[in-house]
Amino acid sequence: MDGGAHPGGRIGPNAITQMAAALDAALPADAVDALFAEAGLAAYRRAPPARMVEEREVAVLHHVLRRRLDPALLAAAAREAGLRTGDYLLANRIPRPVQWLLRVLPAPLAARLLLSAIRRHAWTFAGSGAFAARPGHPVRLSIAGCPLCRGAVLDRPGCGYFAATFERLFAGLVHRRARVTEVACAAAGAAACVFEVRYTTWLTSIMLDTGSST
Ligand SMILES: [Zn+2]
């Protein structure tokens, strides 16, 4: 279990604020207050963080949510929080001309450009974890030392928040039918959390059949 402070072990406040918003949409406010209090984050209910937060705080919040919430409710809230985070990034962090360019490019090329942008900003969501990405079909993104599930032991992948964030970005910018699945999770014994993006259409199928054997 990781309890110490890392250099660079901070991530963007969306991991807290969008989860709070998703929980508030599903539960009474006092129940959400109690969950944040149990995680030692009551102050964030009074004043939501506007800057980078300690990744340890995010890990503890997820730990409390896994302990207290029904797994289906938690999965739905994590997905909602991830989609909201994707919406925030589209509205505030990705310049309009870049979004326009990605939307008009063929999906495989747009995916490459989006991956390089995500890679440049990986420190804002992976913290001290190590992000890697590989274009192709499916696109694969991975986070070793993922701050969401650190210290957890699960029988299925538990980082749906990241899967949903990636899905909103790929669906908004690369292909509207993009779907993201966490196919391996450190909490379930894998070396890293791995996310696969699929957006196959008749056109990408033809291009991939001729351009890739994997
Ligand atoms: Zn995971």
Side-chain angles (χ1 to χ4, degrees):
M1 183 83 190
D2 187 322
H6 294 256
R10 297 171 75 79
I11 59 179
N14 277 303
I16 298 284
T17 57
Q18 305 297 352
M19 181 59 86
L23 292 169
D24 278 327
L27 296 168
D30 58 350
V32 183
D33 290 346
L35 293 165
F36 271 67
E38 185 173 345
L41 302 176
Y44 285 162
R45 291 293 283 166
R46 294 188 292 274
R51 299 182 179 191
M52 305 284 281
V53 300
E54 296 278 347
E55 64 183 14
R56 181 184 50 78
E57 296 174 327
V58 178
V60 172
L61 177 61
H62 278 257
H63 179 72
V64 169
L65 297 178
R66 282 190 293 267
R67 192 164 57 197
R68 295 294 180 207
L69 297 183
D70 169 75
L73 192 157
L74 174 54
R79 178 169 173 80
E80 176 65 21
L83 295 175
R84 287 170 185 253
T85 298
D87 285 338
Y88 173 87
L89 297 172
L90 289 169
N92 298 286
R93 290 285 182 264
I94 303 174
R96 296 287 157 188
V98 173
Q99 296 195 26
W100 177 84
L101 177 66
L102 292 175
R103 288 185 182 118
V104 299
L105 286 171
L109 185 52
R112 282 181 180 271
L113 294 178
L114 178 57
L115 282 183
S116 65
I118 293 173
R119 199 180 283 119
R120 282 197 302 281
H121 294 92
W123 62 277
T124 65
F125 61 86
S128 66
F131 175 82
R134 191 206 69 185
H137 183 253
V139 173
R140 285 167 73 94
L141 306 92
S142 70
I143 304 171
C146 170
L148 291 189
C149 67
R150 193 169 295 161
V153 177
L154 305 172
D155 60 5
R156 73 189 75 174
C159 306
Y161 168 75
F162 280 145
T165 302
F166 295 143
E167 183 169 300
R168 182 51 54 93
L169 293 177
F170 275 84
L173 299 171
V174 174
H175 193 284
R176 64 191 171 84
R177 282 202 289 268
R179 290 293 174 267
V180 178
T181 309
E182 187 183 20
V183 295
C185 182
C193 298
V194 179
F195 304 87
E196 288 187 351
V197 188
R198 294 173 187 274
Y199 51 85
T200 306
T201 64
W202 66 269
L203 178 58
T204 54
S205 300
I206 293 167
M207 295 173 72
L208 292 162
D209 282 347
T210 55
S212 166
S213 60
T214 55

